Amino acid sequence: MDFSLSDEQQAFVDSARAFSQGVLAPKAAEWDATSHFPVDALAQAGELGFMGMYTPESAGGLGMTRLDASLIVEELAKGCTTTAAFLTIHNMATSMIGKYGTEAIIDAWCPELVMGSKLASYCLTEPGAGSDAASLRTNAVVDGDDYVVNGSKVFISGAGETDVLVVMLRTGSEGPKGISALVIPADAEGISYGKNEEKMGWKAQPTRMISFDNVRVPKQNLLGSEGQGFAIAMEGLDGGRINIATCSIGTAQQALEEAVEYVQERKQFGAAIADFQATQFMLSDMLTELVAARQMVRLAASKLDNGDGQATTYCAMAKRFATDVGFKVCNDALQLFGGYGYIKEYPMERHVRDTRVHQILEGTNEIMRVIVSRRLLMDDALEMIK
């Protein structure tokens, strides 16, 4: 096994780092403070290909592997966690359209989505259905050449500011086989949006409830076939867990780098606090756990790319471990800053706020533990490490 990056992968990293440092990082604090959704920056990301990373090339995307995409996302998260996270959600929705949409739907939406001139939201979560996607209630009933959609979605990133919605809904019987996916224009008649939620973190992207009241959607807007929506959603969640884990890794890496710089400058009792053994031990643990989390995420991404039968389990393990580690590293970095870490003049409190939500999204970490334990109980433990 060779864990070093190829020349092509290093070029991806270098490009993402330059964009992150030049465009995202200088504005991240301002966007957070004003709850500004940086659509212009997202359009700039589209010019670099970052808005259609794993959308098929046939639909205008780059057709990247999930491993290569994670390298880019990690760098972007170092500049602005919230913007990087929304970018991954847009990528997930766009790739679903590019992979499962009809030719007409792909032609209508993908050219502008992959360029970032139009934006997409992914609509799965409902008031009574989050991690339990099979129990969702939003429904679509056939009426002539259309589906008529009724129901609601909650905690939808970008809602009210995006142009198209990829919506998971029920077209058939109870359970996963009755779920389908539709592409719905965000301004379709009958759609209404709730207030922008006041969140602890992720303030630079809007989060709203979406209500569907007899929204008519042409049948051609179906992704895949009827009843395929649950499989599409689960495929999206595997990749989404890699994405959110990677956002945690990138933010934690930035927090660690800032902490290392700070402890070498900050002096107490006549010495830099970097000289204190307690500080050195903390930094050592932060780095060790961060490297371990990064390698687990990249292993899971590789398994997903290769169609490994245990990819879902590894994505769940990586998401649980990396988001826990990411939050802990950011919180420890804040501790090293002392009182300065708690004020908004420094980025530590923002890193802590932004990474906390990662332990909840794409299935809470408690759900991740259930996924892993069920697989472990079904299989011999030795099979899990092959």
Side-chain angles (χ1 to χ4, degrees):
M1 286 182 273
D2 183 1
F3 291 95
S4 58
L5 302 185
S6 68
D7 290 343
E8 183 180 39
Q9 289 173 325
Q10 189 59 55
F12 292 152
V13 170
D14 292 343
S15 176
R17 182 174 296 157
F19 178 76
S20 182
Q21 293 177 349
V23 177
L24 302 183
K27 291 289 188 178
E30 177 185 332
W31 294 340
D32 175 79
T34 60
S35 296
H36 174 70
F37 187 41
V39 293
D40 291 342
L42 292 168
Q44 288 180 261
E47 294 174 3
L48 296 171
F50 297 160
M51 301 299 278
M53 290 185 289
Y54 37 87
T55 296
E57 293 182 70
S58 60
L62 296 182
M64 280 185 174
T65 65
R66 301 313 293 255
L67 176 58
D68 287 351
S70 75
L71 302 176
I72 291 172
V73 172
E74 180 177 338
E75 290 299 324
L76 299 181
K78 291 176 67 176
C80 179
T81 312
T82 310
T83 304
F86 176 79
L87 179 146
T88 69
I89 295 166
H90 169 91
N91 266 273
M92 176 168 61
T94 301
S95 68
M96 288 177 178
I97 297 173
K99 184 174 181 179
Y100 294 104
T102 63
E103 184 176 350
I105 288 298
I106 291 172
D107 290 345
W109 288 106
C110 283
E112 291 175 289
L113 289 174
V114 299
M115 288 302 297
S117 55
K118 287 191 175 178
L119 300 175
S121 288
Y122 178 61
C123 306
L124 174 65
T125 305
E126 297 184 1
S131 301
D132 183 13
S135 67
L136 60 82
R137 310 307 304 171
T138 298
N139 68 87
V141 178
V142 173
D143 181 24
D145 293 330
D146 296 333
Y147 287 102
V148 179
V149 179
N150 285 280
S152 60
K153 300 290 182 178
V154 295
F155 304 138
I156 304 304
S157 291
E161 304 282 349
T162 52
D163 303 283
V164 66
L165 313 173
V166 174
V167 184
M168 297 297 162
L169 35 66
R170 189 165 299 284
T171 56
S173 59
E174 296 294 314
K177 293 183 179 180
I179 295 173
S180 300
L182 284 178
V183 176
I184 305 179
D187 60 355
E189 185 177 354
I191 293 179
S192 59
Y193 296 93
K195 66 180 178 65
N196 186 11
E197 301 290 352
E198 286 288 337
K199 306 184 297 292
M200 172 180 170
W202 273 25
K203 289 181 173 292
Q205 58 167 278
T207 304
R208 291 185 173 94
M209 180 178 183
I210 306 178
S211 297
F212 301 88
D213 183 12
N214 291 321
V215 178
R216 300 190 73 88
V217 183
K219 283 184 178 178
Q220 71 171 10
N221 288 31
L222 182 70
L223 293 182
S225 56
E226 275 202 10
Q228 193 179 354
F230 185 77
I232 294 172
M234 292 304 99
E235 178 184 302
L237 283 176
D238 281 343
R241 286 163 184 160
I242 295 297
N243 289 340
I244 212 68
T246 303
C247 286
S248 287
I249 296 300
T251 309
Q253 179 68 41
Q254 182 65 25
L256 176 59
E257 292 174 11
E258 291 166 351
V260 168
E261 180 178 356
Y262 178 80
V263 298
Q264 294 180 85
E265 296 174 351
R266 175 67 168 168
K267 288 182 169 54
Q268 290 288 280
F269 306 105
I273 61 175
D275 294 336
F276 302 154
Q277 192 174 60
T279 302
Q280 295 169 3
F281 283 178
M282 181 178 286
L283 290 172
S284 174
D285 288 345
M286 292 162 69
L287 178 60
T288 301
E289 293 177 12
L290 181 55
V291 169
R294 177 182 291 113
Q295 296 300 78
M296 178 167 257
V297 170
R298 292 183 181 180
L299 172 62
S302 178
K303 285 185 176 290
L304 193 58
D305 289 332
N306 293 323
D308 190 286
Q310 295 181 353
T312 293
T313 308
Y314 274 84
C315 289
M317 288 194 291
K319 190 271 178 182
R320 200 288 298 166
F321 186 65
T323 57
D324 282 350
V325 166
F327 176 74
K328 183 178 184 300
V329 168
C330 291
N331 199 43
D332 287 346
L334 186 152
Q335 187 71 24
L336 288 171
F337 268 71
Y340 291 110
Y342 200 67
I343 61 176
K344 290 183 178 292
E345 183 179 348
Y346 293 84
M348 287 302 124
E349 57 84 30
R350 173 164 47 88
H351 295 331
V352 170
R353 287 188 287 107
D354 285 344
T355 53
R356 181 61 182 89
V357 72
H358 299 170
Q359 296 172 295
I360 301 168
L361 296 173
E362 307 295 352
T364 67
N365 282 358
E366 288 69 32
I367 295 294
M368 298 304 100
R369 290 180 172 92
V370 170
I371 293 172
V372 174
S373 63
R374 284 180 176 174
R375 184 60 185 262
L376 182 60
L377 291 170
M378 286 192 301
D379 294 342
D380 187 285
L382 291 176
E383 288 295 314
M384 290 293 295
I385 61 174
K386 286 185 179 180

